[in-house]
Amino acid sequence: MDRLVNTVRPYAWGSHTALPELLGQEPTGEPQAELWMGAHPGAPSRADRGDGLRPLDELIAADPEGELGAATVARFGPALPFLFKVLAAGIPLSIQAHPTLDQARAGYAAENALGVPLDAPHRSYRDANHKPELICALDEFDGLCGFRTPAGAAALMAGLRVPALDPLIALLGAEDEAEALRATLAAILTMDEATAAATVRETADAVDKAAAGDPDGPYALYGRITREFPGDRGLIGGLLLNAVRLRPGQALYLGAGVPHAYLHGVCVELQANSDNVLRAGLTPKHIDVPELLKVVDFTPGAPELLLPTAVDTTPGEELFPVPIDEFRLSRFVLTGRERELDGRAPQILLCTAGRARLTAADGTVLDLARGRSVFLPATGTATRLDGDDATVFRATVTL
């Protein structure tokens, strides 16, 4: 068992207080956005095995089968296939989508062939992996996810009574729903600067007025965007997307191509081990319009909220089911009864409430306080977990 020392990423959209509160630390005065737990080379967790802190990716690279297990290496390769996070959004994140595995491999190879540096601000592919992700709300969590139907998006725009939106509303009337959404998003992203500035300004004024008149109405979540991103055409693009509010314990799975933006709140996030992001707005960063339009899935539909289901093979474990095997997220709500964790796959445990305790097969005991995490290598032996009024999330793979 390795107690993890993790990195907090200070992105500008982060909350100033949520992660310090979780970790029992004083706020720094700067935004703190993501707590990374895993072996991504961008910010690997560190562990001390008696010779000082060492990055987890280095420990795994030195003995992949010993750390991950032979089955995991055979199935996913010699690196930890997932990245576990706590995400704390103080202001909206960019509207974004992630590529399929084939798209990521092709895009990464193409940019390498062109000699684009990995840290170049205009680079779209930082690695050759896809980035499906699962979030589970720790408190009330607001976001945008997936496309509304064209008719629904047109009605939302029409309700603002902004004449500058009429050309977009007309595009949404096309018979092919996916093509209607594609054409509308392309029109928003390629609109000339003067037209975009005027359209965004008029739309923002109408959104603010509508939200003030009905704080629980359909425009309320978009008020966060007008306050934090004045003049950003992502406001108009966001009207094409479903507004979603997760209650604590509700989860959302985002596959390749699904456009989304996290607006506010704290969640745990489990994703494939990648940092590939194609942006569409609410950001000063580079927007690669042609590549984005290739990656985005324009299929309309309301997102499906997930609730955990009981795991028959592990009493007390609640699983958030997803359609991939590279990551698996589950939760234990501990009330004094000991639970047993299978040791055949690598796993990271995170305590988000109370205090838990882990006992290894050799009798070693490790306390897990709120905000702390631990890496369990795939030793093949079970680890016991217990605690009173504690909540522990478990990130692993499906074999």
Side-chain angles (χ1 to χ4, degrees):
M1 298 185 292
D2 296 300
R3 191 185 301 277
L4 295 179
V5 177
N6 303 307
T7 297
V8 173
R9 307 307 295 263
Y11 304 138
W13 49 262
S15 166
H16 287 69
T17 59
L19 286 180
E21 180 183 354
L22 176 69
L23 298 171
Q25 301 172 352
E26 289 296 318
T28 64
E30 300 296 325
Q32 296 183 288
E34 293 181 346
L35 178 73
W36 281 29
M37 297 164 286
H40 191 284
S45 300
R46 291 161 290 156
D48 188 347
R49 294 183 175 173
D51 55 354
L53 289 172
R54 294 179 59 193
L56 187 57
D57 58 338
E58 289 185 9
L59 293 172
I60 292 172
D63 183 12
E65 289 198 3
E67 302 292 339
L68 306 178
T72 298
V73 173
R75 181 79 182 277
F76 305 110
L80 191 68
F82 60 81
L83 176 60
F84 198 20
K85 299 178 181 178
V86 179
L87 183 152
I91 64 174
L93 284 67
S94 61
I95 299 175
Q96 58 189 256
H98 309 301
T100 65
L101 186 56
D102 287 344
Q103 289 169 337
R105 287 171 174 169
Y108 184 71
E111 289 186 317
N112 283 348
L114 292 172
V116 182
L118 280 176
D119 59 353
H122 62 285
R123 180 154 185 144
S124 295
Y125 295 94
R126 308 287 177 181
D127 53 64
N129 202 9
H130 62 166
K131 191 175 177 282
E133 58 194 44
L134 173 71
I135 62 169
C136 178
L138 296 182
D139 62 8
E140 195 169 80
F141 193 88
D142 292 334
L144 305 174
C145 179
F147 284 105
R148 300 174 184 268
T149 63
L156 193 68
M157 289 185 180
L160 294 171
R161 303 184 185 280
V162 174
L165 293 176
D166 288 346
L168 301 177
I169 294 172
L171 288 173
L172 288 167
E175 184 175 349
D176 185 309
E177 290 193 319
E179 186 52 42
L181 291 165
R182 179 189 296 274
T184 306
L185 182 60
I188 293 167
L189 295 176
T190 58
M191 196 180 293
D192 69 81
E193 291 297 331
T195 302
T199 304
V200 172
R201 183 175 60 252
E202 294 171 26
T203 302
D205 289 344
V207 164
D208 287 341
K209 183 177 179 181
D214 185 2
D216 297 317
Y219 303 101
L221 292 186
Y222 295 95
R224 291 189 182 276
I225 295 174
T226 64
R227 292 192 297 272
E228 302 293 345
F229 291 92
D232 193 304
R233 65 183 73 194
L235 169 64
I236 308 172
L239 294 172
L240 300 176
L241 306 182
N242 298 290
V244 180
R245 172 163 288 170
L246 299 181
R247 307 297 181 188
Q250 290 182 321
L252 192 61
Y253 173 74
L254 299 159
V258 177
H260 60 280
Y262 302 142
L263 302 181
H264 186 266
V266 182
C267 68
V268 295
E269 180 181 41
L270 186 56
Q271 60 172 77
N273 197 26
S274 171
D275 201 23
N276 285 325
V277 178
L278 282 299
R279 297 175 178 85
L282 309 185
T283 179
K285 295 182 179 180
H286 176 63
I287 297 177
D288 185 341
V289 175
E291 198 66 27
L292 174 76
L293 294 176
K294 283 168 51 179
V295 163
V296 168
D297 181 353
F298 288 94
T299 305
E304 179 184 358
L305 302 187
L306 302 176
L307 289 173
T309 59
V311 179
D312 292 338
T313 55
T314 309
E317 185 179 24
E318 301 174 307
L319 177 68
F320 296 91
V322 295
I324 64 170
D325 295 336
E326 286 163 271
F327 60 74
R328 176 187 185 277
L329 181 67
S330 60
R331 182 181 69 180
F332 291 86
V333 179
L334 302 169
T335 56
R337 183 178 176 184
E338 192 173 72
R339 307 298 182 184
E340 187 172 278
L341 306 177
D342 187 291
R344 290 174 295 177
Q347 52 198 301
I348 293 176
L349 304 178
L350 167 70
C351 181
T352 59
R355 181 181 292 270
R357 182 170 55 254
L358 293 161
T359 305
D362 64 2
T364 302
V365 176
L366 187 150
D367 285 331
L368 199 59
R370 182 172 183 258
R372 300 301 187 263
S373 57
V374 63
F375 173 67
L376 302 183
T379 61
T381 59
T383 300
R384 301 194 303 277
L385 172 67
D386 67 279
D388 291 314
D389 298 322
T391 299
V392 174
F393 283 87
R394 180 192 193 197
T396 184
V397 298
T398 297
L399 296 175

